[in-house]
Amino acid sequence: MSEKAHLIAAPFQAAAGPRQRAQSRRTGKAVCRLLVIAAAAGLAYTQLGYHTASRPSPIAIQDETKICLTPACVHAASEILYNLSPDYRQLDPCDDFEELVCGGWRERHDLRADQGDAFTGTIMAEDSQMLLRHILEAPYPEDSHHSYFSPMQLQTTAKSADEENFDKMKAAYDACLDEDKIKSIGVEPLLQILAEIKKVYLGSSSSHKTKKAILLLAKYGVSSLADAGTGADDTNPDTVVVSVGAPWNFGLPSKERYQDEQLVERYRNVTVKVLSALFPDDSKDVFAGVIDLETQLAAASPSQQDREDVTKYYNPMSLEQAAALVPEIELEALLAGQAPAGTNIERVVVTTPKYLKALSVILNAIEPKVLQTYFMWKAVQSFSPYIDADAVKPYRQFVNVLSGKDPDSAPERWRTCVSHVDNGLGWILSRFFVEKAFSAEAKVFGDTIVTDIKTEFIKKLDSSKWMDDDTTKKAIEKVHNIVQKIGYPTKSPDIMNPPALEDYYKSVNVSSDAFFKNALAMRRFAVDEEWSTLGKPVDRDQWGMTVPTVNAYYNPPGNEIVFPAGIMQFPVFDVKVPAYLSYGAFGSVAGHELSHAFDSTGRHYDQNGNYTDWWSNDTIAAFQKKTDCFESQYANFTVPGPDDKPLHVNGRLTLGENIADAGGLSASFQAWKRRAGEKPNENLPGLDHFSQDQLFFVSYSNWWCGKTRKDTAINRIYTDPHAPKWARILGTMANSREFRESFKCKLKEPTCQLW
C-alpha cells in the first residue's frame, strides 16, 4: 500500500490514535512527520562540495522607487533580517548558508520545556492554533459576511446546520478544557477499558482469545500485534484493498532503540511501575515480560528503510495465504470483524510477510498471562493522554524524556484541545479556519504557482539526457495528469456545505462534559470511516490532511499533490509580498511534492497511478547511478548519537526526500524567473545586501530554520525519511547550480543532480 510522500513528519507518539495510525500505514492515508533538526552538524561543510570563495559583493538596489514599502513588505523584510545571522554580511554563503540565514532565528527562539524540536513551520502551526483557539472560544460567528461561505451569506437551512456543527465542535473543545472534571474522574475510564480487555481475553476459549483481544483494540484504533487497514491498491489505484502488517512501532520509537539496553531497562521499570499501580495484585515478573515480548516483536519487524520501499512492502496474496503466515491471530475472522457486513475479502496486501511468520513463532512460545498484559499495556499507552491520574504519570514522563523534553512538561491545555478537535472533528474545524484565514485570491495564486512548477518540470524532463525518449514521453504525460488540490476540499466532504458536514459526523456523539467518552467516539468514527471504504471505488476527492495542517503531500496511486491552506500562510506564502518569497518557499514545497512523482518511490507509479515498471532498463540504471550520489552525500551528515559518537543520516532512507528537495528548488526558481521576466518584482527594504535571486534562496532556507534536542534528533535518524532540517539547507544548496551562480560561488557544479 503506497504511502503519501509528505513534506514534513510528525513527532514520535508511542501509541497514536486511529487517525495517526491510519496515516502512517501503507494505506494511502497521510502521515505528518515533523523534521529533525540537529543542534550542530557533525560534518565539515567542505565535504558537501562547498568551496570558500571571495565573498560576493553586496548588490545595491539601483532604483529606490522600486522598493516595496507596504506593511506586508516591511513585515516580510523585518522577519528575514531577524532570522539572518548578526554577522551575515561577513559570512560566505558558499561556505555556510544555513548559519547565514538561520543564525538569528536560533538566537530568537528557545525550545519550550514541552518541545523536542521546532522550526519555522512550528511557528506557523502555532499561529494557526491561536487562530483556531479564538474561533473555538468565541460565539458562533453569525455576523461574518466577508465571503460566500460566511454565516451571513448562508441560507436558513444551511445556517442551522452550520450552528449545529459549530456547537458540536465547541462541546468537544470545552470537554477537553475541563481539567478539573478530567482529574476528578481519574483513572476510572481507563480501568473500564482494561476490564473489557481482560473479560474478552479470559472469557474466550484459548483458540480465539488472541483474535478477540486484537479486534477489540483495533475497534478503538489501537495497534497491538498486527495492524490492518484499507487503502488504494497500488496496482489498481481505483480499487480499495486491505493491508496487513507489523504495527508502526511497539513502544519505543524504532527497532534500533530496543538495542539500547539502558533505555530498555528504563522503559521496563516504567512499565512495571504503571501496571503495578493499575493492577497491584498481579505479578511484576509478568509486567516485566511485556517488554521482553515487545523487544522480540520489534526485532522481527522491518527496518524503516524497508517500510518505505514499495518493492518490499507490496506483497499481494489471497486471504488464505496471508492467514497461513500467522494462524494464531485468525486473520479471516479478524478482518471480517472490522469490515462492513456482507463484505467479501479475498485478497490482501501483506506489507511485512517475514514479520507475520516470526509473529507466529513468538505467539506459540509466549506465556498467556504476558500476552494478556501486553494487550492491556497497549491500551494504557494509547489512552493515557485522555486521563489525569498518578498511575500513568511515570509513562508520560518517560515519553517526554525520550524526546529530550522536561519530564513533567505539557503543551498549554488549549493547544492540546485544539489538536483534539482537529483530530476528531477536523473538517468542521477546517470550515471555520478557511472562513477566517483563507481567500479566493490566495487560492488563485497557489494554483498559479503549482501550474508554473508543472510547466518547468516538463521542461526539465524534456531536456533530460539520461532518460530515453519513450520514458520521457510517459513522464511528461504523468506531469500533465497530476491532480493539484489547493486550500480545502469541496467534496468528500464539501466543507463549505454545512448540511453535508453535519451528515458526515452524525455518528460522532459529543458531550461538553465527557472528554474520555468523546475521544472514544471520535476514534470509533475514524476506524469505521476507514473500513467503510471497502467494497467501493477509491474516492479520489478525499484529502489526507485537514485544512489547518502546515504540511503538504504527494500521493502516488492518486498521482496528486495536495496543499492545505495551513501551509499557505506567511512567511511561506503571501500574495502581498514580492513573488520571489512565495516561489522560494511555497513554490519549492510545490516542486518538492511534484518531484516525488519521479523519486525512488514515485518512479514506480505510471501516469495513471499504477505500480508498474514503466521505465526502461537503461533509464533505471542511469537513475540509480545519479541517486547513488545523493545517498552518499547525505550519509556524510551526522548528529550526536546516544553515546555522543556521530550517528549518520541514513542516505537510503532519506533518498526520496533529498531528490525532491533538489528538484523542487530548481523547478521553482526557473518558474519564478519566467514570471519575473513578464512582471518584475519589487525589492524589499533593508535587504540591499541581497539580489532578488539570492532572496529566493534565503526564503527557501528560512522555512527550515530550527532547533532540536539531542534525543529527538536521534529518534528522527532512525524513523524519519527526511534529512535533518539544517541538512535540507546545506545539502540542497550544494546540489543547486542556480544557488551557486546567484551567490557567485567559486565552484558552480552541483554536488549531485538529477534534474
Side-chain angles (χ1 to χ4, degrees):
M1 313 294 293
S2 173
E3 176 201 2
K4 295 183 174 78
H6 298 68
L7 182 70
I8 54 180
F12 161 67
Q13 292 177 298
R19 178 181 167 198
Q20 290 80 11
R21 284 179 46 250
Q23 288 175 339
S24 63
R25 275 200 304 264
R26 304 291 185 212
T27 58
K29 300 285 184 179
V31 66
C32 305
R33 299 185 190 135
L34 193 62
L35 301 176
V36 192
I37 315 156
L43 173 72
Y45 299 135
T46 51
Q47 291 182 10
L48 293 176
Y50 284 114
H51 286 242
T52 303
S54 56
R55 295 188 183 94
S57 301
I59 298 178
I61 295 172
Q62 299 300 317
D63 185 351
E64 293 190 4
T65 61
K66 294 183 179 178
I67 298 176
C68 176
L69 293 174
T70 64
C73 286
V74 172
H75 181 208
S78 67
E79 283 297 306
I80 291 172
L81 286 165
Y82 274 123
N83 290 343
L84 294 173
S85 166
D87 300 322
Y88 75 92
R89 290 179 180 270
Q90 284 72 49
L91 293 174
D92 186 344
C94 306
D95 182 47
D96 188 354
F97 195 58
E98 195 272 343
E99 171 60 26
L100 188 155
V101 173
C102 300
W105 193 100
R106 281 190 290 274
E107 289 294 321
R108 292 172 55 223
H109 295 88
D110 285 330
L111 294 176
R112 298 193 304 265
D114 64 290
Q115 290 180 311
D117 62 358
F119 78 119
T120 300
T122 310
I123 309 302
M124 291 173 62
E126 293 192 342
D127 287 346
S128 291
Q129 281 186 328
M130 181 67 76
L131 185 149
L132 293 169
R133 179 193 189 184
H134 293 164
I135 291 170
L136 288 161
E137 294 184 2
Y140 174 72
E142 59 185 351
D143 295 330
S144 179
H145 55 79
H146 77 270
S147 62
Y148 73 90
F149 47 77
S150 294
M152 281 290 286
Q153 309 291 351
L154 296 174
Q155 295 184 7
T156 307
T157 6
K159 186 175 180 182
S160 172
D162 204 41
E163 290 184 81
E164 292 288 337
N165 293 338
F166 184 86
D167 290 345
K168 175 177 281 193
M169 176 180 73
K170 192 170 175 61
Y173 180 72
D174 291 344
C176 177
L177 279 182
D178 194 349
E179 293 184 271
D180 290 339
K181 179 72 176 287
I182 295 167
K183 192 166 187 176
S184 70
I185 294 172
V187 78
E188 187 57 35
L190 176 60
L191 290 175
Q192 291 176 14
I193 297 286
L194 299 178
E196 194 176 352
I197 295 170
K198 187 178 285 190
K199 182 180 178 182
V200 163
Y201 195 84
L202 296 178
S204 304
S205 66
S206 59
S207 60
H208 298 297
K209 58 188 179 183
T210 299
K211 178 263 297 183
K212 289 190 174 182
I214 296 173
L215 184 58
L216 174 64
L217 288 171
K219 287 186 174 182
Y220 285 124
V222 183
S223 286
S224 53
L225 296 173
D227 204 9
T230 70
D233 188 343
D234 292 88
T235 56
N236 188 5
D238 284 310
T239 301
V240 176
V241 70
V242 174
S243 67
V244 182
W248 200 251
N249 64 60
F250 296 92
L252 296 180
S254 70
K255 65 181 296 175
E256 290 86 356
R257 299 313 303 265
Y258 284 93
Q259 296 166 14
D260 184 334
E261 294 181 1
Q262 290 184 334
L263 176 60
V264 170
E265 282 310 303
R266 281 167 46 207
Y267 181 36
R268 189 192 310 277
N269 291 337
V270 167
T271 304
V272 170
K273 189 172 184 178
V274 171
L275 291 175
S276 295
L278 296 170
F279 305 105
D281 298 328
D282 287 2
S283 166
K284 291 186 178 181
D285 289 340
V286 170
F287 300 155
V290 167
I291 304 308
D292 292 327
L293 173 57
E294 269 194 24
T295 303
Q296 291 181 64
L297 295 172
S301 67
S303 67
Q304 192 70 23
Q305 184 175 316
D306 285 349
R307 287 179 184 269
E308 301 284 338
D309 189 341
V310 63
T311 66
K312 294 184 179 179
Y313 67 68
Y314 187 73
N315 304 286
M317 57 184 73
S318 69
L319 179 56
E320 292 76 16
Q321 289 174 315
L325 296 174
V326 54
E328 293 76 12
I329 67 172
E330 301 178 75
L331 188 59
E332 295 101 323
L334 188 62
L335 298 183
Q338 297 179 78
T343 305
N344 183 27
I345 302 173
E346 297 180 348
R347 178 176 174 274
V348 298
V349 173
V350 177
T351 59
T352 57
K354 291 181 181 178
Y355 167 81
L356 293 185
K357 289 180 182 178
L359 177 61
S360 178
V361 175
I362 292 169
L363 290 177
N364 275 303
I366 196 70
E367 182 186 340
K369 184 66 175 175
V370 171
L371 185 56
Q372 174 197 311
T373 308
Y374 171 80
F375 288 128
M376 293 193 288
W377 177 235
K378 294 301 103 182
V380 170
Q381 290 176 306
S382 189
F383 292 112
S384 62
Y386 307 128
I387 63 172
D388 186 350
D390 290 340
V392 298
K393 190 175 181 181
Y395 176 67
R396 284 177 153 176
Q397 292 173 326
F398 174 77
V399 171
N400 276 343
V401 172
L402 192 58
S403 297
K405 305 173 187 177
D406 287 2
D408 293 313
S409 65
E412 295 168 278
R413 186 63 187 178
W414 67 266
R415 292 193 187 278
T416 297
C417 295
V418 167
S419 296
H420 169 68
V421 176
D422 190 28
N423 284 329
L425 299 167
W427 296 124
I428 299 177
L429 192 62
S430 294
R431 173 261 183 279
F432 289 95
F433 177 83
V434 169
E435 200 273 330
K436 190 89 170 176
F438 202 56
S439 68
E441 185 184 10
K443 191 176 189 310
V444 169
F445 187 40
D447 270 316
T448 298
I449 291 177
V450 175
T451 301
D452 284 352
I453 302 296
K454 283 185 177 180
T455 300
E456 294 306 320
F457 211 89
I458 287 172
K459 292 179 184 177
K460 287 184 174 295
L461 290 169
D462 206 26
S463 63
S464 173
K465 293 181 171 57
W466 57 270
M467 296 182 90
D468 66 86
D469 291 344
D470 185 55
T471 305
T472 299
K473 182 179 178 182
K474 292 176 182 176
I476 290 172
E477 184 181 353
K478 183 174 183 178
V479 175
H480 283 303
N481 285 0
I482 289 177
V483 176
Q484 57 196 63
K485 296 179 177 178
I486 308 289
Y488 55 89
T490 54
K491 300 176 182 176
S492 298
D494 178 358
I495 69 166
M496 298 309 170
N497 183 336
L501 268 184
E502 185 178 39
D503 184 65
Y504 184 81
Y505 286 113
K506 65 183 177 184
S507 66
V508 185
N509 296 315
V510 172
S511 165
S512 61
D513 63 354
F515 176 53
F516 195 91
K517 191 177 289 185
N518 292 347
L520 290 185
M522 293 172 178
R523 281 169 167 253
R524 288 299 300 267
F525 170 77
V527 172
D528 291 345
E529 182 199 18
E530 180 181 344
W531 283 92
S532 70
T533 62
L534 204 56
K536 303 174 185 176
V538 168
D539 185 352
R540 289 182 178 257
D541 294 315
Q542 281 188 326
W543 284 45
M545 290 176 179
T546 58
V547 175
T549 306
V550 180
N551 210 331
Y553 67 86
Y554 170 73
N555 175 27
N559 196 27
E560 63 182 4
I561 46 180
V562 184
F563 307 96
I567 200 171
M568 300 174 69
Q569 309 290 323
F570 181 85
V572 168
F573 178 93
D574 192 341
V575 297
K576 298 177 181 178
V577 300
Y580 47 79
L581 296 186
S582 293
Y583 275 83
F586 179 75
S588 295
V589 167
H592 171 102
E593 299 307 335
L594 192 149
S595 296
H596 273 308
F598 305 98
D599 69 8
S600 48
T601 294
R603 74 171 185 82
H604 292 285
Y605 296 80
D606 68 13
Q607 65 272 28
N608 299 312
N610 292 300
Y611 170 44
T612 181
D613 289 326
W614 57 284
W615 286 22
S616 69
N617 290 334
D618 287 345
T619 297
I620 292 172
F623 174 84
Q624 290 174 339
K625 184 177 180 181
K626 286 181 171 290
T627 57
D628 283 347
C629 177
F630 286 88
E631 187 174 340
S632 300
Q633 177 195 20
Y634 281 83
N636 281 323
F637 288 118
T638 66
V639 301
D643 52 5
D644 285 328
K645 293 179 181 177
L647 182 63
H648 288 263
V649 170
N650 186 333
R652 191 69 188 169
L653 173 62
T654 60
L655 178 59
E657 299 297 331
N658 301 331
I659 292 171
D661 278 347
L665 183 75
S666 180
S668 186
F669 183 80
Q670 297 303 331
W672 168 67
K673 290 295 284 185
R674 180 166 57 84
R675 284 289 178 183
E678 299 167 359
K679 182 182 179 182
N681 292 184
E682 292 182 306
N683 294 306
L684 289 175
L687 290 167
D688 53 308
H689 183 73
F690 301 100
S691 68
Q692 292 186 4
D693 285 17
Q694 292 170 343
L695 284 172
F696 172 95
F697 297 102
V698 170
S699 181
Y700 166 84
S701 301
N702 270 176
W703 164 239
W704 298 119
C705 293
K707 284 183 174 180
T708 191
R709 300 186 193 275
K710 175 182 174 181
D711 291 289
T712 300
I714 292 169
N715 292 334
R716 298 296 181 201
I717 291 294
Y718 292 130
T719 63
D720 196 349
H722 306 84
K725 293 186 187 69
W726 49 266
R728 295 185 78 168
I729 298 175
L730 294 176
T732 306
M733 295 305 108
N735 296 331
S736 171
R737 183 185 300 276
E738 295 95 338
F739 167 81
R740 291 181 161 178
E741 290 175 346
S742 296
F743 282 94
K744 299 180 173 61
C745 298
K746 182 178 179 181
L747 181 64
K748 302 296 192 297
E749 192 68 22
T751 301
C752 302
Q753 186 175 22
L754 184 63
W755 307 111

